[in-house]
Amino acid sequence: MTPRDFSERDIHMTLDGELPGDERVAYDAWLDANPEMKVRSARYVADRAALRAAFAGVLDEPVPARLQKIVFGEAPVKTAALRSRWWLAAAAAAMLAIGGVGGYVAGIDRLGLEDPAEDQLAEQAIAAHVIYAAEKRHAVEVPASDKDHLQTWLSNRVGLKLVAPDLAAEGFQLVGGRLLPAGESKAAMLLYEDDKGERISLFVTAESAEKAKGTYGSEENGPEAVYWLDKGYGCAVVGSLPRAQLTAVAKSAYSQLLAGLAG
Amino acid sequence: MDEKKAAILGEIPRLRRYARSLLRDRDSADDLVQDCLERALVRLDNWQTGESPRRWLFTIMHHLFIDQMRKVNRRGEVAMLPLEAGEAQAAPAEQVENIASREIIDALQAISPDRRAALVMVAIEGFSYAEAANILGVPAGTLMSRIARGREELRRLLDDTARRRAIRIVEK
């Protein structure tokens, strides 16, 4: 087996008992060689211990009689109107938390409930990439040779002023693009290729209400998405490039897209 | 008493712990467990023989939690909260918490419910990624990214709290 590169993802997997046993020795060596990651790992271990300690006492509390009675069928069935309102407390707690940390999570949404928009965008972009980047003859609907038409068409359909970024400096040439469904709206997919045939895609949708950015990979060794969500649009760059290279390409693409949107 | 009911009774302490980590407030958490048990008893026939009672009950409770959170979010019922928020603000009854525990419980409440559930499921309740993904009804990749983001967010919140505490000490 060839030794693989480890990343922060493996810190979580190890902590959660999900790292395959035969990778443990190589992982420990990697951790020893990366002091920053070692500190991170130790911190997560400590936070987990604190979390477990904070809730450990609950298991020793006597079970309230009202809960036991339900199982024995002794409690009267409540009507819908009288149903417990625990969720109000949950909502209130979330509001307080948002106020309490000085707006740190204010970017999420009213209740701090994660709208899975980020994951959805990344997953849709990765799914589209997996299907179309593998196509030889039918990868795109409109080829790069018809770039002006491609940009006008996708801009009109998606509802954003789309300018296909020039990624020549990063070694990628536009192959073309296509229109795709994205939830209840539409997305534009732009496909690029380098001289070795390695492909990356840009996935752009209108209508995103939240601000976020990050990277997302759904499968081990599968393509990764670098995405941004902002008021009015979402953008993901997908490819199987090394993380640093993908991030660099994505940054260039994103700044050009932004300039195009504004222009 | 039949076996199924005995198995459900045995899971109540773990359900209470999970609910407490989701909601913090003790009475609200027990209300959630109560809703979960009521629904479980109505659906007792849906429980397949051989299926772990823990997984079955956690799935029911998680759906109750997330559905309700989404509904509240969508209907914008936040507007009526100030009237009721007093209850939630009250310190957890009869709960002895040291400062470290209180800080981490506060921080956990501040991260988004989806990430909180994913993190708690694995880090406190000890479910495997496959089990947790199944209970939460999300792909394994989504679960992993929620856990990673949840841990990172928790860490930053705890650091912020520590920093504010340090500032308060300096100001004294």
Side-chain angles (χ1 to χ4, degrees), chain A residues 242-255:
Chain A
R243 175 75 66 85
Q245 193 192 352
L246 185 66
T247 307
V249 177
K251 274 184 182 155
S252 169
Y254 184 63
S255 59

PDB file of all heavy atoms in Angstrom, chain A residues 242-255:
ATOM      1  N   PRO A 242      -5.251  18.669  -6.425  1.00  0.00           N
ATOM      2  CA  PRO A 242      -4.802  18.834  -5.038  1.00  0.00           C
ATOM      3  C   PRO A 242      -5.491  20.067  -4.442  1.00  0.00           C
ATOM      4  O   PRO A 242      -5.727  21.050  -5.156  1.00  0.00           O
ATOM      5  CB  PRO A 242      -3.300  19.062  -5.164  1.00  0.00           C
ATOM      6  CG  PRO A 242      -2.927  18.446  -6.478  1.00  0.00           C
ATOM      7  CD  PRO A 242      -4.124  18.599  -7.363  1.00  0.00           C
ATOM      8  N   ARG A 243      -5.800  19.998  -3.131  1.00  0.00           N
ATOM      9  CA  ARG A 243      -6.568  21.047  -2.474  1.00  0.00           C
ATOM     10  C   ARG A 243      -6.047  22.466  -2.758  1.00  0.00           C
ATOM     11  O   ARG A 243      -6.807  23.365  -3.095  1.00  0.00           O
ATOM     12  CB  ARG A 243      -6.592  20.761  -0.963  1.00  0.00           C
ATOM     13  CG  ARG A 243      -7.237  21.813  -0.085  1.00  0.00           C
ATOM     14  CD  ARG A 243      -8.752  21.816  -0.177  1.00  0.00           C
ATOM     15  NE  ARG A 243      -9.384  20.624   0.347  1.00  0.00           N
ATOM     16  CZ  ARG A 243      -9.698  20.431   1.646  1.00  0.00           C
ATOM     17  NH1 ARG A 243      -9.377  21.348   2.526  1.00  0.00           N
ATOM     18  NH2 ARG A 243     -10.311  19.337   2.034  1.00  0.00           N
ATOM     19  N   ALA A 244      -4.725  22.649  -2.638  1.00  0.00           N
ATOM     20  CA  ALA A 244      -4.163  23.992  -2.798  1.00  0.00           C
ATOM     21  C   ALA A 244      -4.383  24.518  -4.213  1.00  0.00           C
ATOM     22  O   ALA A 244      -4.723  25.680  -4.417  1.00  0.00           O
ATOM     23  CB  ALA A 244      -2.683  23.989  -2.451  1.00  0.00           C
ATOM     24  N   GLN A 245      -4.209  23.628  -5.196  1.00  0.00           N
ATOM     25  CA  GLN A 245      -4.391  24.042  -6.591  1.00  0.00           C
ATOM     26  C   GLN A 245      -5.859  24.365  -6.879  1.00  0.00           C
ATOM     27  O   GLN A 245      -6.170  25.363  -7.522  1.00  0.00           O
ATOM     28  CB  GLN A 245      -3.894  22.932  -7.528  1.00  0.00           C
ATOM     29  CG  GLN A 245      -3.751  23.401  -8.974  1.00  0.00           C
ATOM     30  CD  GLN A 245      -3.532  22.239  -9.941  1.00  0.00           C
ATOM     31  OE1 GLN A 245      -3.332  21.089  -9.531  1.00  0.00           O
ATOM     32  NE2 GLN A 245      -3.592  22.529 -11.234  1.00  0.00           N
ATOM     33  N   LEU A 246      -6.743  23.507  -6.362  1.00  0.00           N
ATOM     34  CA  LEU A 246      -8.167  23.740  -6.575  1.00  0.00           C
ATOM     35  C   LEU A 246      -8.585  25.074  -5.960  1.00  0.00           C
ATOM     36  O   LEU A 246      -9.329  25.851  -6.554  1.00  0.00           O
ATOM     37  CB  LEU A 246      -8.991  22.590  -5.963  1.00  0.00           C
ATOM     38  CG  LEU A 246     -10.500  22.643  -6.225  1.00  0.00           C
ATOM     39  CD1 LEU A 246     -10.810  22.452  -7.696  1.00  0.00           C
ATOM     40  CD2 LEU A 246     -11.243  21.596  -5.400  1.00  0.00           C
ATOM     41  N   THR A 247      -8.062  25.337  -4.759  1.00  0.00           N
ATOM     42  CA  THR A 247      -8.398  26.590  -4.084  1.00  0.00           C
ATOM     43  C   THR A 247      -7.906  27.790  -4.893  1.00  0.00           C
ATOM     44  O   THR A 247      -8.615  28.785  -5.039  1.00  0.00           O
ATOM     45  CB  THR A 247      -7.785  26.617  -2.671  1.00  0.00           C
ATOM     46  OG1 THR A 247      -8.184  25.421  -1.997  1.00  0.00           O
ATOM     47  CG2 THR A 247      -8.258  27.811  -1.874  1.00  0.00           C
ATOM     48  N   ALA A 248      -6.692  27.678  -5.442  1.00  0.00           N
ATOM     49  CA  ALA A 248      -6.128  28.778  -6.238  1.00  0.00           C
ATOM     50  C   ALA A 248      -6.974  29.027  -7.483  1.00  0.00           C
ATOM     51  O   ALA A 248      -7.308  30.170  -7.810  1.00  0.00           O
ATOM     52  CB  ALA A 248      -4.681  28.462  -6.614  1.00  0.00           C
ATOM     53  N   VAL A 249      -7.327  27.957  -8.196  1.00  0.00           N
ATOM     54  CA  VAL A 249      -8.156  28.099  -9.393  1.00  0.00           C
ATOM     55  C   VAL A 249      -9.506  28.703  -9.022  1.00  0.00           C
ATOM     56  O   VAL A 249     -10.014  29.599  -9.697  1.00  0.00           O
ATOM     57  CB  VAL A 249      -8.375  26.725 -10.074  1.00  0.00           C
ATOM     58  CG1 VAL A 249      -9.297  26.865 -11.281  1.00  0.00           C
ATOM     59  CG2 VAL A 249      -7.050  26.115 -10.504  1.00  0.00           C
ATOM     60  N   ALA A 250     -10.061  28.201  -7.900  1.00  0.00           N
ATOM     61  CA  ALA A 250     -11.384  28.662  -7.477  1.00  0.00           C
ATOM     62  C   ALA A 250     -11.365  30.149  -7.157  1.00  0.00           C
ATOM     63  O   ALA A 250     -12.294  30.883  -7.497  1.00  0.00           O
ATOM     64  CB  ALA A 250     -11.850  27.857  -6.265  1.00  0.00           C
ATOM     65  N   LYS A 251     -10.297  30.600  -6.498  1.00  0.00           N
ATOM     66  CA  LYS A 251     -10.211  32.018  -6.145  1.00  0.00           C
ATOM     67  C   LYS A 251     -10.193  32.894  -7.388  1.00  0.00           C
ATOM     68  O   LYS A 251     -10.865  33.913  -7.455  1.00  0.00           O
ATOM     69  CB  LYS A 251      -8.953  32.285  -5.305  1.00  0.00           C
ATOM     70  CG  LYS A 251      -9.200  32.032  -3.832  1.00  0.00           C
ATOM     71  CD  LYS A 251      -7.992  32.391  -2.986  1.00  0.00           C
ATOM     72  CE  LYS A 251      -8.273  32.077  -1.530  1.00  0.00           C
ATOM     73  NZ  LYS A 251      -7.048  31.831  -0.777  1.00  0.00           N
ATOM     74  N   SER A 252      -9.404  32.468  -8.363  1.00  0.00           N
ATOM     75  CA  SER A 252      -9.315  33.229  -9.601  1.00  0.00           C
ATOM     76  C   SER A 252     -10.679  33.266 -10.292  1.00  0.00           C
ATOM     77  O   SER A 252     -11.152  34.318 -10.720  1.00  0.00           O
ATOM     78  CB  SER A 252      -8.261  32.601 -10.511  1.00  0.00           C
ATOM     79  OG  SER A 252      -8.348  33.165 -11.798  1.00  0.00           O
ATOM     80  N   ALA A 253     -11.323  32.082 -10.366  1.00  0.00           N
ATOM     81  CA  ALA A 253     -12.627  32.002 -11.024  1.00  0.00           C
ATOM     82  C   ALA A 253     -13.642  32.878 -10.301  1.00  0.00           C
ATOM     83  O   ALA A 253     -14.409  33.614 -10.932  1.00  0.00           O
ATOM     84  CB  ALA A 253     -13.102  30.552 -11.049  1.00  0.00           C
ATOM     85  N   TYR A 254     -13.600  32.814  -8.987  1.00  0.00           N
ATOM     86  CA  TYR A 254     -14.597  33.538  -8.200  1.00  0.00           C
ATOM     87  C   TYR A 254     -14.447  35.050  -8.356  1.00  0.00           C
ATOM     88  O   TYR A 254     -15.430  35.764  -8.533  1.00  0.00           O
ATOM     89  CB  TYR A 254     -14.475  33.136  -6.734  1.00  0.00           C
ATOM     90  CG  TYR A 254     -15.530  33.756  -5.859  1.00  0.00           C
ATOM     91  CD1 TYR A 254     -16.883  33.469  -6.051  1.00  0.00           C
ATOM     92  CD2 TYR A 254     -15.190  34.626  -4.826  1.00  0.00           C
ATOM     93  CE1 TYR A 254     -17.855  34.025  -5.249  1.00  0.00           C
ATOM     94  CE2 TYR A 254     -16.158  35.188  -4.020  1.00  0.00           C
ATOM     95  CZ  TYR A 254     -17.490  34.888  -4.231  1.00  0.00           C
ATOM     96  OH  TYR A 254     -18.450  35.447  -3.436  1.00  0.00           O
ATOM     97  N   SER A 255     -13.191  35.524  -8.305  1.00  0.00           N
ATOM     98  CA  SER A 255     -13.022  36.979  -8.398  1.00  0.00           C
ATOM     99  C   SER A 255     -13.450  37.472  -9.786  1.00  0.00           C
ATOM    100  O   SER A 255     -14.026  38.542  -9.923  1.00  0.00           O
ATOM    101  CB  SER A 255     -11.582  37.384  -8.082  1.00  0.00           C
ATOM    102  OG  SER A 255     -10.708  36.754  -8.975  1.00  0.00           O
TER     103      SER A 255
END
